Amino acid sequence: MKTRDKIILASLDLFNEQGERNVTTNHIAAHLNISPGNLYYHFRNKTDIVYEIFLQYELLVDHYLQLPKGRSLLLDDLIFYLESVFDGLWSYRFFHRDLEFLLDSDERLRRDYREFTMRCLGVVNRILGSLRDSHILIDMGDEHRSAMALNVWLIVTNWMAFLKTAHAGEKNTAIRKEMLKQGIYQVLCLTLPYLTESYVDTVVKISQKYKPAPVFSATA
Amino acid sequence: MKTRDKIILASLDLFNEQGERNVTTNHIAAHLNISPGNLYYHFRNKTDIVYEIFLQYELLVDHYLQLPKGRSLLLDDLIFYLESVFDGLWSYRFFHRDLEFLLDSDERLRRDYREFTMRCLGVVNRILGSLRDSHILIDMGDEHRSAMALNVWLIVTNWMAFLKTAHAGEKNTAIRKEMLKQGIYQVLCLTLPYLTESYVDTVVKISQKYKPAPVFSATA
DNA sequence: ATTATCTATAGATCTATAGATAATGC
DNA sequence: ATTATCTATAGATCTATAGATAATGC
């Protein structure tokens, strides 16, 4: 593998493990047993490495979020979208953690990420619309569907951070990939009141598979 | 005002304006026209300053989230809760921005924040329960209500970050406090399908007041 | 006497580059 | 010749402390 690619991969690993803030160019170079000078031969600075990683992330998510041509969505499609997106979030989990700082530090990234968000919101919106066309969801009107899409986006992109902070301080601080999938339960709960009658039981059953551990279920 | 309190206030201001990551003890001291040595006389390090600020934040939110004794909630109470909480989030907006790093760096804060989260989730849950008792919301069962409370929490605590990242790169990057209130629209949308019939129209009307600018409404 | 403040600085990083050297591809 | 790599280091911070002074409260 080319050194340039090794740098990207190692950076992603280190960022995910330790947080971008805690990883310097020195750390990355040391981790790869190359000199800092060599790293700077391939990248002008850390910002450029992050930007490359973002491009990969963007590519991955855009790939996941394609809509099938010529047919509307099935319930299985929805589950597949959710599984895929949470997989992607896991693989690039450092990204949302320091998002605001990263965007502050890089004009390009700021612009690209903004377009990426809007594109994703549009797709989520279209997914909801397609599920309505398949009579899985009831119609909720354009305005409400947009708000709903945004709520889905907020929950999906921030579930990870919630897990990290809510579990912080427990014996085993590390978040495992399986726990991340509990976010799917949260999204499915969001859709429950909009399901057509014939789908309610199925979705409730599926959602149980992803149900969070009792720690998150404070009682009223 | 005592120097110690001035340090806390100045830090909060600077953190909110520039992000905790971009503000060093030197900056804080310079901003107050005191020496770094003086700052270190009052605080062992930046972590301790952040912790003090968190304690204030916690106090504020706990105060906001009290439930009235001897009566169940009215619709106005709900709006008041939302207004108050978004106010609090605004005043301490740096906090959620770098939350994960802050928790990583301070054992105490990690433990306290975790308890704080669980306490808040419990209150949100009780608020939803009380609105059901007032026949404003329909009953959704314990499990679903807990999931709903968590979704509300995720949307409320992350709305700010969304605004920042989605608006990033526009002419006027600064987020104003009014925009933050658009998060109330998102939360009200979440409750819509659970409203009893007699409240739907009123809530729809109220929610229009907080409706986001069209930029967030990608169409299907 | 105690509390608050300043001056000065050691020590630890981290970034980024210049310049030398090694490896590779025509 | 060009590309990749290393060595060495300048310059910029930032943290945190020691030790001297000033201000304050009995």
Side-chain angles (χ1 to χ4, degrees), chain A residues 72-92:
Chain A
S72 60
L73 294 170
L74 308 173
L75 189 55
D76 283 349
D77 293 317
L78 174 63
I79 303 300
F80 188 72
Y81 280 131
L82 288 169
E83 288 269 1
S84 305
V85 166
F86 276 99
D87 262 1
L89 282 167
W90 173 259
S91 304
Y92 294 85

Side-chain angles (χ1 to χ4, degrees), chain A residues 9-215:
Chain A
L9 275 186
S11 300
L12 177 55
D13 280 354
L14 291 173
F15 290 165
N16 279 339
E17 287 301 318
Q18 302 169 32
E20 173 273 338
R21 184 170 176 174
N22 297 316
V23 177
T24 70
T25 47
N26 277 358
H27 292 142
I28 299 167
H31 188 75
L32 286 168
N33 282 316
I34 65 173
S35 65
N38 192 4
L39 186 146
Y40 278 94
Y41 173 76
H42 292 283
F43 289 95
R44 226 183 58 235
N45 50 38
K46 199 167 78 165
T47 298
D48 278 9
I49 300 176
V50 169
Y51 186 68
E52 283 295 314
I53 295 177
F54 165 71
L55 290 180
Q56 292 186 0
Y57 174 57
E58 190 180 25
L59 221 59
L60 184 74
V61 174
D62 281 341
H63 174 74
Y64 283 156
L65 289 185
Q66 277 174 23
L67 282 117
K69 305 268 181 209
R71 66 171 179 87
S72 60
L73 294 170
L74 308 173
L75 189 55
D76 283 349
D77 293 317
L78 174 63
I79 303 300
F80 188 72
Y81 280 131
L82 288 169
E83 288 269 1
S84 305
V85 166
F86 276 99
D87 262 1
L89 282 167
W90 173 259
S91 304
Y92 294 85
R93 60 193 177 280
F94 86 93
F95 190 68
H96 283 91
R97 174 173 170 163
D98 275 302
L99 186 56
E100 287 190 54
F101 176 83
L102 296 175
L103 298 191
D104 272 355
S105 329
D106 185 355
E107 169 72 34
R108 275 174 316 177
L109 185 61
R110 188 156 65 236
R111 195 192 53 227
D112 287 9
Y113 181 77
R114 185 158 162 270
E115 282 169 19
F116 172 70
T117 304
M118 292 309 154
R119 199 163 61 243
C120 288
L121 281 178
V123 174
V124 175
N125 210 325
R126 259 173 261 125
I127 288 173
L128 294 175
S130 186
L131 289 167
R132 171 206 55 203
D133 294 342
S134 299
H135 305 289
I136 293 171
L137 296 181
I138 59 173
D139 186 73
M140 48 182 112
D142 286 354
E143 197 173 287
H144 194 153
R145 191 173 57 250
S146 290
M148 170 93 172
L150 186 41
N151 278 340
V152 169
W153 177 255
L154 287 168
I155 290 166
V156 168
T157 55
N158 293 295
W159 175 250
M160 182 72 162
F162 172 76
L163 266 190
K164 277 260 199 68
T165 56
H167 271 195
E170 306 217 317
K171 300 101 224 157
N172 192 357
T173 311
I175 304 293
R176 278 165 300 104
K177 194 177 173 181
E178 302 80 69
M179 299 163 69
L180 191 59
K181 295 297 176 67
Q182 299 169 355
I184 295 178
Y185 175 80
Q186 293 302 126
V187 175
L188 290 179
C189 279
L190 205 63
T191 67
L192 269 189
Y194 303 100
L195 289 169
T196 56
E197 214 164 321
S198 49
Y199 280 94
V200 173
D201 287 348
T202 321
V203 172
V204 167
K205 193 176 294 171
I206 293 174
S207 77
Q208 291 303 313
K209 221 177 70 184
Y210 299 104
K211 202 180 148 190
V215 66

Side-chain angles (χ1 to χ4, degrees), chain B residues 147-164:
Chain B
M148 170 95 172
L150 187 40
N151 278 341
V152 170
W153 177 255
L154 287 169
I155 290 166
V156 169
T157 53
N158 292 295
W159 174 251
M160 182 71 158
F162 172 76
L163 266 190
K164 277 260 200 71

Side-chain angles (χ1 to χ4, degrees), chain B residues 165-179:
Chain B
T165 56
H167 271 194
E170 306 216 317
K171 300 101 223 155
N172 192 356
T173 311
I175 304 293
R176 277 165 300 105
K177 195 176 172 184
E178 301 82 69
M179 299 163 71

